[in-house]
């Protein structure tokens, strides 16, 4: 088993796919969003307002979603991509939510599937309450 970490070629592949997905979120390009996820009843996506168990539920939520112009992310804070071998990756993004307090967190597990290519098999999005700096309160 190849367990090499962050091979540049694999990181570049996953990075490009992640950026394509992020742009599709902004554009509400459901075809691209759907093609990013594994079409399986085993796929899970926990979002801020729903729990999607299986591809059909995830697709239904995408059709119903009404993202704000420009998407739901105001700014990226930190993006971490970890690849293991040539077929498994995790992507973790910390971001400032558009028009909401707090810190957004997004994680995805990607797997290269035979005859299907890279697919998200599990995803999670949540908003963490803004942290109060006790020194700033005076």
């Amino acid at each position: 088993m190849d367990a090499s970490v962050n091979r540049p070629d694999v990181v570049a592949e996953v990075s490009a796919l992640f950026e394509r997905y992020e742009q599709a979120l902004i554009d509400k390009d459901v075809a691209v969003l759907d093609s990013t996820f594994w079409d399986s009843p085993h796929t899970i996506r926990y979002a801020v307002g729903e729990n999607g168990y299986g591809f059909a539920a995830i697709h239904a939520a995408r059709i119903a979603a009404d993202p704000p112009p420009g998407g739901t992310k105001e700014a990226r804070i930190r993006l971490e991509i970890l690849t293991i071998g040539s077929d498994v990756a995790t992507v973790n993004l910390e971001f400032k939510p558009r028009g909401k307090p707090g810190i957004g967190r997004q994680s995805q597990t990607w797997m290269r599937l035979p005859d299907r290519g890279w697919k998200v098999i599990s995803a999670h999005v949540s908003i963490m309450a803004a942290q109060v700096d006790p020194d700033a309160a005076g």
Side-chain angles (χ1 to χ4, degrees), residues 20-107:
R20 179 177 181 253
Y21 173 79
E22 288 293 295
Q23 188 60 51
L25 284 173
I26 293 168
D27 298 340
K28 195 178 178 184
D29 187 336
V30 174
V32 170
L33 297 172
D34 281 353
S35 72
T36 303
F37 278 66
W38 183 28
D39 188 348
S40 167
H42 302 291
T43 303
I44 295 174
R45 179 177 179 265
Y46 294 139
V48 174
E50 95 259 351
N51 293 334
Y53 294 101
F55 181 84
I58 296 166
H59 171 75
R62 293 220 186 275
I63 295 293
D66 190 20
T72 59
K73 297 174 183 94
E74 185 174 307
R76 288 184 181 185
I77 298 169
R78 183 176 182 149
L79 175 63
E80 294 284 336
I81 296 176
L82 169 66
T83 66
I84 301 168
S86 59
D87 300 320
V88 176
T90 61
V91 178
N92 290 279
L93 176 66
E94 188 177 348
F95 61 93
K96 168 68 181 99
R98 184 175 307 281
K100 294 181 181 177
I103 300 296
R105 299 174 298 172
Q106 173 180 331
S107 62

Side-chain angles (χ1 to χ4, degrees), residues 121-138:
I121 60 172
S122 179
H124 175 256
V125 179
S126 61
I127 307 294
M128 182 173 65
Q131 301 296 314
V132 176
D133 182 355
D135 295 330

Side-chain angles (χ1 to χ4, degrees), residues 6-13:
N6 284 353
R7 286 184 16 206
D9 59 321
V10 181
V11 171
E13 268 186 278

